[in-house]
Amino acid sequence: SSSLRQVRRLNGHAARVGALAWNGAICSSGGKDCKIFNHDVRVREHIVAEYEGHQQEVCGLKWAPSGAQLASGGNDNLLHIWDAARSQPVPATAHSGGYLHRFEQHQAAVKALAWCPFQSNLLASGGGTADRCIKFWNTTTGACLNSIDTHSQVCSLVWNTRERELLSSHGYSQNQLCLWKYPTMAKMAELTGHTAR
């Protein structure tokens, strides 16, 4: 039997940590303190970068498969794209000018984030109850490519790695799963059964 043992304890946040994302040996964390830290788990002084741009809790965090960009979503309805190459070492933090893009189009918290497996600069994001939209972004140009009203809170997004499809999970009011064809966004299936988000 394999036994689990704690290897590291990474401190730094002043409030709860609600979002995590790996990029090689870098673990990024987003907190209720509005901060995002990059922790290099190999070194003693583990906080190697800090991103500041959210005004409320960071609730979504995803690294692009390439490791070049980090997407962060917040309870402030903001979506930021951070360029890994532009992250400044601590203590010279990447303050509000540090992000590559700042998207303000969502009308609710941005928790659901998913980088496309077949197009490196394509990101899908989902908004909360007051927004209900899945939006698609070209993170190179900063263009919003499409926006689909799903009529329910978007909780998570997962791309199919074999087909050009996207699965979304939802909360209020339908609590359903939806399978979408990309890029047409034709709904292939709607799966119900859950009674809460």
Side-chain angles (χ1 to χ4, degrees), residues 27-197:
C27 178
S28 297
S29 62
K32 196 176 182 182
D33 56 8
C34 311
K35 296 186 178 197
I36 299 164
F37 292 123
N38 283 354
H39 307 267
D40 186 333
V41 300
R42 302 163 299 185
V43 299
R44 183 180 167 85
E45 299 299 320
H46 54 86
I47 297 177
V48 293
E50 178 181 344
Y51 303 106
E52 287 187 18
H54 287 284
Q55 276 97 52
Q56 290 183 43
E57 180 165 9
V58 179
C59 57
L61 212 52
K62 285 280 170 69
W63 277 100
S66 67
Q69 292 181 335
L70 175 66
S72 67
N75 284 355
D76 51 12
N77 309 349
L78 295 174
L79 169 61
H80 288 116
I81 307 297
W82 309 89
D83 186 343
R86 280 172 59 179
S87 76
Q88 301 168 35
V90 169
T93 58
H95 281 290
S96 0
Y99 46 76
L100 188 62
H101 299 294
R102 178 191 188 103
F103 300 126
E104 302 178 4
Q105 287 92 318
H106 280 293
Q107 305 298 309
V110 185
K111 184 176 178 350
L113 299 169
W115 290 92
C116 179
F118 54 83
Q119 190 177 321
S120 61
N121 62 343
L122 176 60
L123 175 74
S125 63
T129 309
D131 182 76
R132 306 175 304 275
C133 290
I134 299 172
K135 295 184 187 294
F136 296 90
W137 309 92
N138 178 323
T139 63
T140 304
T141 64
C144 183
L145 306 173
N146 199 0
S147 180
I148 302 294
D149 187 348
T150 69
H151 306 291
S152 287
Q153 171 191 29
V154 184
C155 298
S156 63
L157 294 166
V158 183
W159 288 94
N160 186 339
T161 54
R162 292 186 176 85
E163 303 284 338
R164 298 202 166 202
E165 295 172 345
L166 181 71
L167 185 72
S168 57
S169 80
H170 300 271
Y172 181 80
S173 63
Q174 304 292 311
N175 306 310
Q176 81 278 38
L177 303 177
C178 294
L179 183 65
W180 309 87
K181 195 78 187 157
Y182 187 83
T184 63
M185 291 307 282
K187 197 186 285 183
M188 312 289 286
E190 187 159 317
L191 312 171
T192 56
H194 284 289
T195 55
R197 73 177 173 209

Side-chain angles (χ1 to χ4, degrees), residues 10-25:
L10 307 171
N11 295 316
H13 285 285
R16 74 171 171 220
V17 181
L20 294 170
W22 279 104
N23 181 17

